[in-house]
Amino acid sequence: MQAKVIEILTSLAGTRIEAEGKAREALAEEAADMTKGLTSYTLRKALEATADAMPWRLLMEDQSESEPVEVFVKLREQLTRQLIRTTSNTSTCTISNEQGRLKWDGVRRFLQDTDYLVSALEAAEKAAEEPTPAPEPAQPAPGRRPTPAQRKALELIAQGGVKRSQRFKGAIRVGSLNGTIYADTFEVLIREGWVSVDYSQTLFHGQPVELTDAGRAHLPA
């Protein structure tokens, strides 16, 4: 979180300081043109941009702390205290009074623009301090019930004589003397652990198939 906050602060500071530079250049260009008079609009834009950039310049120039986030938090606290104590300018110079007003407007904007970053830092700090809740014990999955076709296959296997076999390169089949057990049904019985196959026998001679206790539990007692 701190790295993200630093990235945002750097981007915002660059934007404000760049805007100040452009406003100053526009004022300097107007002042250099001796054929034209100075306008209050250009002067005001330069004063506003300078006031907006001032807190950001303080933030970027303050290297007293090793952690930039600490500098940011302390600067906000310092500017907040100054803003609370400040009073309106009462100079006889109108421009000086306006300059003072714009300065504190810039401070207010700085505090407003960065308020959400303080909230994000506080939330991250609180989350880091809170103990991680112990995971709830895993609950066993409810037992799956066989479909009517699967139950019928279980009944056929319970009667005995069922074998899994293959002749030459033909398909593997599950043979029963008492009915048909389809391959896809048999795959489900194996996957659910309801039947077992004697793989010690070859497919050519037939691999006996029997019910497991889990499979037998789905049949009437």
Side-chain angles (χ1 to χ4, degrees):
M1 173 55 69
Q2 290 202 3
K4 185 62 176 178
V5 168
I6 293 172
E7 179 183 346
I8 294 173
L9 291 173
T10 303
S11 176
L12 290 174
T15 300
R16 300 297 190 277
I17 294 172
E18 182 180 2
E20 179 194 12
K22 290 181 178 179
R24 284 176 176 270
E25 289 175 0
L27 178 60
E29 183 178 348
E30 184 176 273
D33 189 348
M34 302 297 291
T35 64
K36 297 180 181 179
L38 295 176
T39 62
S40 59
Y41 173 81
T42 307
L43 176 59
R44 183 182 179 84
K45 293 295 291 185
L47 291 174
E48 287 179 345
T50 299
D52 279 346
M54 183 271 292
W56 297 99
R57 285 188 176 279
L58 293 176
L59 179 62
M60 294 295 103
E61 294 170 0
D62 191 344
Q63 302 297 322
S64 61
E65 300 287 348
S66 58
E67 291 295 334
V69 170
E70 293 181 14
V71 175
F72 163 63
V73 173
K74 289 183 177 181
L75 177 61
R76 276 183 54 92
E77 294 173 349
Q78 175 186 349
L79 291 177
T80 300
R81 289 193 299 269
Q82 292 177 0
L83 183 60
I84 292 173
R85 293 196 300 265
T86 190
T87 58
S88 300
N89 284 17
T90 57
S91 172
T92 56
C93 176
T94 304
I95 295 178
S96 177
N97 290 338
E98 182 67 4
Q99 188 176 15
R101 187 186 68 80
L102 292 175
K103 169 187 174 181
W104 295 113
D105 282 350
V107 169
R108 291 187 186 91
R109 278 190 288 272
F110 171 78
L111 296 175
Q112 292 169 356
D113 291 346
T114 59
D115 187 62
Y116 76 100
L117 294 176
V118 175
S119 299
L121 288 169
E122 291 175 348
E125 184 178 355
K126 182 178 180 181
E129 292 175 352
E130 292 178 351
T132 303
E136 296 183 1
Q139 299 296 325
R144 187 178 182 278
R145 306 295 297 178
T147 64
Q150 293 162 3
R151 183 186 295 275
K152 180 62 177 177
L154 291 174
E155 293 173 351
L156 292 175
I157 295 171
Q159 295 174 25
V162 176
K163 291 186 177 182
R164 181 172 177 268
S165 62
Q166 183 181 32
R167 290 293 182 268
F168 302 105
K169 294 184 179 181
I172 295 177
R173 59 186 297 272
V174 181
S176 169
L177 299 177
N178 303 303
T180 302
I181 300 177
Y182 295 101
D184 56 348
T185 300
F186 186 75
E187 289 177 2
V188 175
L189 303 185
I190 290 289
R191 186 170 65 247
E192 295 294 335
W194 294 336
V195 300
S196 63
V197 179
D198 184 359
Y199 293 107
S200 65
Q201 303 297 321
T202 65
L203 283 170
F204 183 80
H205 291 97
Q207 298 173 334
V209 178
E210 295 182 352
L211 291 181
T212 63
D213 291 341
R216 199 172 290 109
H218 292 297
L219 299 179

